[in-house]
Amino acid sequence: MFTSRADLDHHLTATGTWKNLHTAVHHSAPRVTSYPHPHEGEPVCGFSFTEDTPRPGPARTTGTILITPDGHLTVRAHQLPGHRWLTALRHLGDLAPGALRPGTRTTPAGSAPGHWALCPHVKDRSFAGDLHLPGDVDAQMLTELPDPRGDVTAMVTIAPGSPQALEAVWMCATGFVHVLMTGAPAPS
């Protein structure tokens, strides 16, 4: 879709995607700070974030948001409160209650559009999911089950099924990031 990082960056700016992502970081609660992600020659755009003041426990929430030349937007988060992650996933699509509990029944592959299709992953310590949304938008996620403090390490990738779905993908992704950072849907 994009032939250079500069072309991708220009399109992210022109569509308001950068502004929406940085607005979510600016309104984050608890506060996070973003900084450029070291791309080391990769043709990706994005940034990393770190929680300003750690919660009780050994680590701060950290993560990255990267957009690839094919329009995929990936969010990775470490030491994130599990309830916040689930709230953001539910912003994208329906998710079974208690999805982070070990032994929770998962949905069959190929579930209805707008519903996460979940499947167990590595030895019941994590689960993966697929989501198909209207407008040729697909999402995939991997979530580790929570640690004793309820924190998770997780990632989600939201991807276009066609070039025409690019802006719909970025709109879904910025809404997801806003909920992840603030705990509330983005203002209209």
Side-chain angles (χ1 to χ4, degrees):
M1 272 188 218
F2 298 98
T3 57
S4 69
R5 185 171 164 226
D7 187 29
L8 173 59
D9 186 58
H10 173 75
H11 202 76
L12 289 165
T13 301
T15 59
T17 303
W18 275 140
K19 179 182 178 186
N20 293 339
L21 290 171
H22 287 288
T23 297
V25 169
H26 177 72
H27 292 289
S28 61
R31 300 283 305 150
V32 298
T33 299
S34 65
Y35 45 95
H37 181 74
H39 303 295
E40 300 173 15
E42 297 174 4
V44 299
C45 290
F47 58 89
S48 299
F49 58 89
T50 302
E51 187 177 1
D52 290 348
T53 306
R55 294 168 281 114
R60 298 172 188 251
T61 296
T62 61
T64 58
I65 298 172
L66 296 176
I67 303 103
T68 63
D70 54 4
H72 296 197
L73 192 146
T74 299
V75 178
R76 291 183 179 93
H78 309 277
Q79 300 298 321
L80 181 75
H83 66 87
R84 182 64 67 91
W85 182 251
L86 286 177
T87 300
L89 289 176
R90 284 185 183 113
H91 178 76
L92 290 176
D94 290 336
L95 184 67
L100 288 183
R101 292 189 196 119
T104 298
R105 292 183 56 83
T106 54
T107 55
S111 67
H115 291 75
W116 283 100
L118 303 177
C119 58
H121 200 55
V122 184
K123 297 184 181 178
D124 284 338
R125 287 298 308 147
S126 63
F127 64 91
D130 293 308
L131 175 68
H132 304 288
L133 296 168
D136 212 10
V137 176
D138 296 310
Q140 293 182 323
M141 63 89 172
L142 176 65
T143 303
E144 291 183 3
L145 293 177
D147 65 18
R149 292 174 311 283
D151 294 342
V152 298
T153 294
M155 69 175 280
V156 66
T157 297
I158 305 170
S162 67
Q164 295 76 21
L166 188 60
E167 289 188 33
V169 164
W170 291 349
M171 184 181 294
C172 286
T174 56
F176 173 86
V177 170
H178 192 87
V179 172
L180 188 67
M181 295 289 177
T182 68
S188 301

